[in-house]
Amino acid sequence: LYTDPGSCEGRCGEPLSEEDECHCHPECERRGSCCGDYERHCGPDGFSRSSDSITDQELLEVSEQLYGLDHNKARPSDIAINPQHQAAPGETGHQEDLSPQPLYKYVNEELFSKPTYSSFIKLLDNYQRATGREEEVTADELREQDNFLREVMKTELMKKLFTFLHGKNRYDSEQEFLEDLKQMWFGLYSRGAGEQDSSGFEHVFSGEVKKGKVSGFHNWIRFYLLEKQGIVNYFSHNFNGPWDTFPDVLGLQFSWDGFYKEVGSAFIGCSPEFEFGLYTLCFLARPGRACHLSLGGYSLSIQTYPWTKSTYGNGRRFIATAYVMSP
């Protein structure tokens, strides 16, 4: 379903990129850089159609479409942030609070009554943040997962994403897409010593603590709610995106209950479905590689990685992480 960076399945004809470990464009034969299964998938008798590959141009186009469909995003009047100190590259590891004020000066919490926001927020307290501790998933928590997925799939943004992926033969039906979203994002795997202690959703949106450091935690709503409670302390930022409306992007340093995040990154002011949809798109199209997108005419890249130590279904991969790449 997703395009494995070491395979040509779903990648035949994909443009050559130096970032890729192997290639699936006919030119790769001359260069000697073809993936090992190039002939099987892309040769004359291959079964992976070039029309199913997702081109760089299509990623730019569909990301702009998704950006335009983020109807639940914050308006400029809904959020006021105070970025304060901009850390130089050598400062991000200093663990110094260089910004005495909170990052969020104001958030219009009426946003959180929107169905995708309220169902998202209910998921955030379902996790043990320490890796190595087994996650116990209750029936109520499973219902909350299903409710969130139902709500995001009602949005034009996620329906557009499904239409795009359906056209690329990734999914036959919206129900199949919904079921795979649940597995890739909420399916449990072990980051510790065998315990089912993690999932893509927990890592990316809620955050984890591993070996005394914050791991994941890339969501602005989670950050705001914990900062409001005094549990998160904003230290500085190392990147502020070029957008003058929301969503924007911030690279930031912070402490979560005494645990430090040296270089985090987050969309600011987007809806939950926008972030969820964009990360899903990049995971399916460019897992393990930089996924180059366009939002409002500005370039943006997302990095995702599949979890490689366990699978679900017929060899499908869970999401290990997904985040905005700040320069």
Side-chain angles (χ1 to χ4, degrees):
L1 283 183
Y2 73 93
T3 55
D4 186 331
S7 168
C8 281
E9 185 173 3
R11 291 179 58 202
C12 295
E14 187 178 279
L16 295 170
S17 170
E18 296 305 322
E19 294 176 352
D20 297 343
E21 59 189 69
C22 61
H23 301 111
C24 305
H25 188 276
E27 182 70 11
C28 73
E29 295 185 280
R30 185 182 65 79
R31 294 169 53 135
S33 63
C34 298
C35 295
D37 58 3
Y38 172 77
E39 193 64 31
R40 182 160 66 93
H41 287 293
C42 309
D45 301 318
F47 54 84
S48 179
R49 293 171 295 182
S50 61
S51 59
D52 293 347
S53 70
I54 298 173
T55 67
D56 291 348
Q57 184 60 35
E58 285 171 328
L59 282 173
L60 297 177
E61 291 168 0
V62 74
S63 56
E64 282 288 4
Q65 291 166 354
L66 298 179
Y67 178 77
L69 290 173
D70 190 11
H71 303 313
N72 287 327
K73 68 183 178 184
R75 297 162 301 184
S77 59
D78 285 331
I79 298 176
I81 63 171
N82 183 16
Q84 300 167 82
H85 182 80
Q86 181 160 0
E91 283 186 313
T92 58
H94 288 179
Q95 303 192 30
E96 290 181 63
D97 184 358
L98 300 170
S99 302
Q101 301 301 315
L103 174 61
Y104 286 92
K105 291 200 293 188
Y106 169 75
V107 171
N108 176 10
E109 294 193 12
E110 288 181 14
L111 280 172
F112 301 160
S113 65
K114 294 175 182 277
T116 57
Y117 283 81
S118 61
S119 59
F120 173 82
I121 289 168
K122 285 178 181 173
L123 295 168
L124 296 175
D125 64 357
N126 291 352
Y127 299 102
Q128 302 263 12
R129 71 180 178 187
T131 58
R133 294 178 64 183
E134 184 94 17
E135 292 291 346
E136 296 180 13
V137 184
T138 67
D140 281 345
E141 290 170 354
L142 287 172
R143 280 193 290 271
E144 288 173 354
Q145 293 172 10
D146 289 338
N147 187 47
F148 170 71
L149 291 169
R150 272 197 307 271
E151 291 299 340
V152 296
M153 285 307 301
K154 291 177 186 176
T155 65
E156 279 189 74
L157 188 155
M158 288 297 287
K159 287 185 180 297
K160 175 65 186 177
L161 176 59
F162 166 72
T163 299
F164 175 74
L165 294 170
H166 176 64
K168 292 293 181 181
N169 288 302
R170 296 306 202 273
Y171 299 98
D172 291 331
S173 67
E174 196 169 303
Q175 184 60 32
E176 184 190 356
F177 181 43
L178 186 69
E179 290 169 1
D180 197 44
L181 286 171
K182 183 166 185 177
Q183 286 296 326
M184 76 169 76
W185 278 105
F186 293 101
L188 293 173
Y189 49 83
S190 175
R191 287 184 197 265
E195 300 86 354
Q196 300 291 88
D197 62 345
S198 188
S199 68
F201 186 91
E202 177 187 4
H203 181 84
V204 172
F205 294 102
S206 183
E208 298 180 295
V209 172
K210 184 176 183 179
K211 296 180 180 177
K213 293 183 178 180
V214 177
S215 182
F217 197 143
H218 298 286
N219 179 256
W220 77 270
I221 299 166
R222 173 73 161 162
F223 189 102
Y224 165 74
L225 292 172
L226 291 182
E227 186 179 58
K228 183 182 174 185
Q229 295 173 44
I231 298 170
V232 158
N233 181 18
Y234 170 71
F235 280 18
S236 57
H237 71 285
N238 61 299
F239 172 75
N240 195 344
W243 295 271
D244 53 12
T245 59
F246 299 116
D248 201 349
V249 174
L250 200 67
L252 64 166
Q253 293 71 52
F254 61 91
S255 169
W256 178 18
D257 220 7
F259 300 101
Y260 187 61
K261 181 73 172 180
E262 181 173 339
V263 180
S265 62
F267 285 108
I268 308 292
C270 67
S271 68
E273 62 266 27
F274 175 82
E275 201 169 4
F276 192 72
L278 232 56
Y279 289 155
T280 299
L281 169 67
C282 285
F283 179 69
L284 293 170
R286 301 286 188 273
R289 297 176 285 160
C291 177
H292 303 301
L293 308 178
S294 178
L295 304 182
Y298 293 104
S299 297
L300 173 93
S301 297
I302 285 173
Q303 180 74 48
T304 67
Y305 288 103
W307 186 252
T308 59
K309 297 178 182 177
S310 56
T311 60
Y312 66 92
N314 188 22
R316 301 179 189 179
R317 296 292 175 87
F318 301 103
I319 291 176
T321 192
Y323 55 90
V324 187
M325 296 171 71
S326 52

